[in-house]
Amino acid sequence: MTGGRDVPVGEEREQRWAEFVAMYPQARYYAQFTDRELPPIALEPGPPDR
C-alpha cells in the first residue's frame, strides 16, 4: 500500500490544528506539556489496489 503525507506549516498548520482540537479537545491540554510543536499530519490515500 502506498500513499503520502503532508506536514503543513504556517496558516495551513494553524487551520489543521484547530480542526484537530475541535475533534479531540484534550489535544489542546497535551500541547501545554511539551515544548515542541505538535504537527498535524495529513495522510493522503494511495492508488487503489489492483
Side-chain angles (χ1 to χ4, degrees):
M1 177 154 79
T2 62
R5 66 183 169 97
D6 176 34
V7 181
V9 295
E11 191 174 310
E12 183 181 2
R13 183 216 176 274
E14 295 304 319
Q15 176 63 35
R16 294 222 181 140
W17 179 254
E19 292 169 358
F20 179 73
V21 169
M23 291 187 296
Y24 303 100
Q26 65 273 24
R28 179 180 311 131
Y29 303 110
Y30 177 75
Q32 295 173 3
F33 294 105
T34 183
D35 292 332
R36 68 185 183 98
E37 184 174 84
L38 302 173
I41 298 173
L43 300 177
E44 300 170 357
D49 293 336
R50 293 187 181 218

